[in-house]
Amino acid sequence: MRRKRRVSPSSVERPPQSTEPGTGTAPATRSGSLAAAPVTRFRSWAAGSLTPAPPGVGPTVPREGSLRSRALRRRRQPSQVHLSAPASASTAAGEEVEPMLEPEETAGSFSPNSPIRVPYLEEYDSNGELCQEPSLFPDPVLIEPYEKAEQEFSDKIAKIRKLPTLDSDTSISPSIIQESAADTIIEASKFVLGLSSYIEWSKGTGIILTTAQLICSTSPCLDEWLGEDKYAPNAEVCVQLLHMDDFKTGTLMYLDKQYGFALFSVLMDEPKRLPCFSNERFAQDVFLLGRYESNLLIGNGKVLSKGAGSYKRHHYMYTDGHISPHGAGGAVINLEGDVTGMITGPKHFIPSSTIQKCLEIWKTYNHVPRIHLGMKLFGIKCLSLVSREKISRNYNIDAGLIVKAVSAESNAEKLGVRMGDIILSVNGEHIATAVELENKLLDISKAQLEKGIGLGSAVDVTLALDVFNTTKCGRGRRLLKAKLSRTEEIIEEGKYPVIYGRPKKPVEKV
């Protein structure tokens, strides 16, 4: 049996040990301790609800000549009221005390708990005298109230330790984030939910924007252009709202495999703040915000002048900051607290310019079609300065899109576009980055839908591409025909067989 005994030194103040007339036992304490036993008695000073003190009992304050006493006298006003507090031993002896006064509005708006006290055992002998040494083998029945009080104290401490101000996740480590930026992060956190997502809201329903990885049923494929990711659209998604224990079930409204985002609806009250979108910029200072198990995840850095590699789709931007993988689907915000993108990985995100165009099309047509080009492209602007200078020196070209790969049997391949060529313009408009190209394609797709040319239409979309052939150093215009599609684009590598031995019949090259 675990026991915690503590003999209180004589110098420590204790509540008065007077007895109630006619009972021979000590009165119950304000915290509601159990009745004392006839032989072994204890007092529990565990925290409890605040109850009024006996009449005439007030808090102990410094004596007349102290600075503290004079300051308290200057603060007293006729309209103030008395708040009761435990009496000290000196108060019980008849020492004159000065009551602590508080304004009426303070007393009415704040209801404090009683102080936290650790229960300790006071053991008395059969003559009612306090034992200096506790018994080695106390009576289990008599010590039961103490054990109960100790358990209540432990339970209360455990509950208090779960408060956001004291829990194990509360960080006291120093922060290098500027004070103004910290305020911006806290304000923006009001729309970052438990899915590491952010929301729109309308008439009791929140539309949650998050990453499609949330319902990806397999490990994400390294090469997104292969289209091998599998999704579980019927998966049960639990949304943790901003309150600690507030969970709701989300319903999938739309899944976009090309751009890698998902939309869920959930019944919820209107949040304190909704996100405002702002365009992204290279070298911009940003913060990465996610949420995991109700805790806010934070990263910070700059937007890099970098484009997607051969394995990532065109619409990504990158930062030199870092955030936990649990932050995927969270918000990238600028120093003003506006959303500039949605996190899709530890260091890359979908920019807000692309997100806004997708949402605008989806709200009108319930899907987001895309034009398949059959090419992987990379902006010259996102190359290193050494590479940009080399291209400028050799080809006299300072901007455009480099062709990283061409899908086999695509219209682009049939038009003669090859790896290493440079797309100078699309429909006469110069495009500097692959993200700008994606936004251009979304604008064209929206224009086609407005004309009534939708999915499955026999009408092709024609794009005029100005192409620079880097092997022959020649320029030319190509008219690329494509259709709108709601599926993700797949880039297939061109292959052909090399024959070993003699087949039964000739094999044609692919």
Side-chain angles (χ1 to χ4, degrees):
M1 179 178 60
R2 176 178 171 271
R3 299 193 306 275
K4 182 177 179 182
R5 302 196 201 97
R6 184 174 302 171
V7 178
S8 176
S10 58
S11 58
V12 178
E13 294 181 352
R14 296 196 187 97
Q17 300 179 9
S18 60
T19 58
E20 293 181 359
T23 63
T25 60
T29 64
R30 292 192 305 119
S31 57
S33 59
L34 300 174
V39 177
T40 303
R41 288 173 278 182
F42 82 102
R43 289 184 177 84
S44 171
W45 299 104
S49 59
L50 182 66
T51 56
V57 177
T60 303
V61 298
R63 290 180 179 274
E64 191 66 24
S66 67
L67 295 176
R68 170 73 170 163
S69 178
R70 293 197 296 271
L72 290 175
R73 287 200 303 273
R74 285 196 298 268
R75 289 171 52 194
R76 292 199 305 270
Q77 300 295 334
S79 60
Q80 294 172 334
V81 297
H82 172 74
L83 291 181
S84 62
S88 66
S90 60
T91 304
E95 179 181 341
E96 183 179 354
V97 298
E98 191 169 359
M100 180 75 72
L101 302 178
E102 294 289 348
E104 288 184 0
E105 57 270 20
T106 303
S109 61
F110 177 73
S111 179
N113 296 324
S114 58
I116 298 177
R117 297 289 186 267
V118 181
Y120 64 92
L121 188 64
E122 280 189 351
E123 187 174 349
Y124 294 83
D125 58 23
S126 58
N127 297 323
E129 299 292 336
L130 179 65
C131 298
Q132 298 300 321
E133 294 293 335
S135 303
L136 294 178
F137 303 101
D139 189 331
V141 176
L142 299 180
I143 204 173
E144 183 178 347
Y146 167 73
E147 292 178 340
K148 183 176 181 180
E150 188 179 48
Q151 184 61 47
E152 290 175 353
F153 172 78
S154 299
D155 293 343
K156 187 175 185 75
I157 290 296
K159 184 177 181 180
I160 291 176
R161 290 295 182 188
K162 294 180 181 180
L163 295 174
T165 52
L166 297 173
D167 66 12
S168 58
D169 297 314
T170 301
S171 174
I172 58 175
S173 58
S175 174
I176 60 174
I177 298 175
Q178 295 181 1
E179 183 176 355
S180 58
D183 294 339
T184 300
I185 290 174
I186 296 301
E187 187 66 20
S189 69
K190 296 176 181 178
F191 56 75
V192 180
L193 302 183
L195 286 177
S196 283
S197 52
Y198 46 96
I199 56 175
E200 292 186 356
W201 186 86
S202 176
K203 298 179 180 179
T205 301
I207 300 176
I208 303 175
L209 172 66
T210 187
T211 175
Q213 297 175 16
L214 179 71
I215 55 174
C216 191
S217 58
T218 59
S219 298
C221 182
L222 177 63
D223 189 349
E224 294 185 359
W225 292 101
L226 298 179
E228 295 180 350
D229 289 339
K230 305 298 181 181
Y231 297 92
N234 296 324
E236 182 177 346
V237 175
C238 188
V239 183
Q240 183 178 27
L241 304 182
L242 294 177
H243 297 291
M244 188 78 68
D245 300 320
D246 196 358
F247 292 89
K248 295 292 178 64
T249 300
T251 302
L252 180 65
M253 302 179 68
Y254 181 70
L255 170 64
D256 194 293
K257 299 179 182 179
Q258 173 67 30
Y259 292 104
F261 71 87
L263 297 173
F264 290 86
S265 65
V266 63
L267 297 177
M268 59 180 295
D269 295 330
E270 183 176 5
K272 292 182 179 179
R273 184 186 170 189
L274 292 170
C276 296
F277 291 94
S278 176
N279 288 337
E280 64 289 337
R281 301 190 308 274
F282 288 135
Q284 183 181 28
D285 290 305
V286 293
F287 295 99
L288 314 176
L289 303 183
R291 194 174 291 279
Y292 179 64
E293 293 183 348
S294 79
N295 294 321
L296 192 66
L297 305 175
I298 305 173
N300 65 291
K302 288 183 178 293
V303 179
L304 299 177
S305 180
K306 175 184 176 182
S310 298
Y311 299 128
K312 297 295 182 183
R313 298 196 186 272
H314 294 154
H315 54 271
Y316 292 120
M317 295 185 72
Y318 293 80
T319 72
D320 62 355
H322 182 272
I323 192 171
S324 165
H326 296 296
V332 181
I333 65 170
N334 58 22
L335 296 181
E336 287 72 41
D338 297 331
V339 175
T340 60
M342 182 185 74
I343 302 168
T344 50
K347 290 184 175 292
H348 54 84
F349 64 95
I350 306 175
S352 60
S353 57
T354 302
I355 292 173
Q356 284 182 286
K357 292 180 183 296
C358 288
L359 293 179
E360 185 178 351
I361 295 174
W362 172 78
K363 288 177 181 177
T364 305
Y365 301 100
N366 292 321
H367 64 274
V368 183
R370 183 184 179 275
I371 301 171
H372 290 187
L373 298 179
M375 296 179 285
K376 295 180 183 179
L377 303 168
F378 193 93
I380 293 177
K381 184 178 180 181
C382 296
L383 294 173
S384 68
L385 292 178
V386 173
S387 298
R388 291 174 63 179
E389 190 275 336
K390 186 185 296 184
I391 294 173
S392 178
R393 176 162 41 88
N394 284 273
Y395 305 123
N396 196 29
I397 295 175
D398 296 322
L401 301 173
I402 298 174
V403 179
K404 303 284 286 187
V406 181
S407 185
E409 299 299 323
S410 64
N411 288 342
E413 185 185 62
K414 294 174 182 178
L415 289 174
V417 180
R418 300 293 179 259
M419 182 187 302
D421 289 350
I422 300 174
I423 307 297
L424 300 174
S425 67
V426 178
N427 289 353
E429 182 180 345
H430 294 284
I431 306 294
T433 66
V435 171
E436 291 182 14
L437 174 65
E438 287 297 323
N439 292 340
K440 175 72 173 178
L441 296 179
L442 287 170
D443 289 338
I444 296 175
S445 299
K446 181 182 178 183
Q448 295 294 109
L449 293 173
E450 291 173 347
K451 294 178 183 178
I453 303 174
L455 300 174
S457 174
V459 179
D460 292 330
V461 178
T462 301
L463 302 176
L465 306 179
D466 289 326
V467 184
F468 181 83
N469 186 318
T470 53
T471 58
K472 298 181 179 179
C473 294
R475 299 171 184 253
R477 172 163 289 195
R478 300 289 186 266
L479 298 179
L480 178 66
K481 292 185 178 181
K483 287 184 171 61
L484 296 181
S485 174
R486 70 167 58 192
T487 61
E488 71 269 37
E489 183 172 9
I490 297 175
I491 302 296
E492 297 181 351
E493 186 179 18
K495 300 179 181 179
Y496 71 94
V498 177
I499 307 302
Y500 174 77
R502 294 183 180 182
K504 294 182 179 180
K505 58 181 179 179
V507 178
E508 297 181 358
K509 285 188 176 182
V510 178

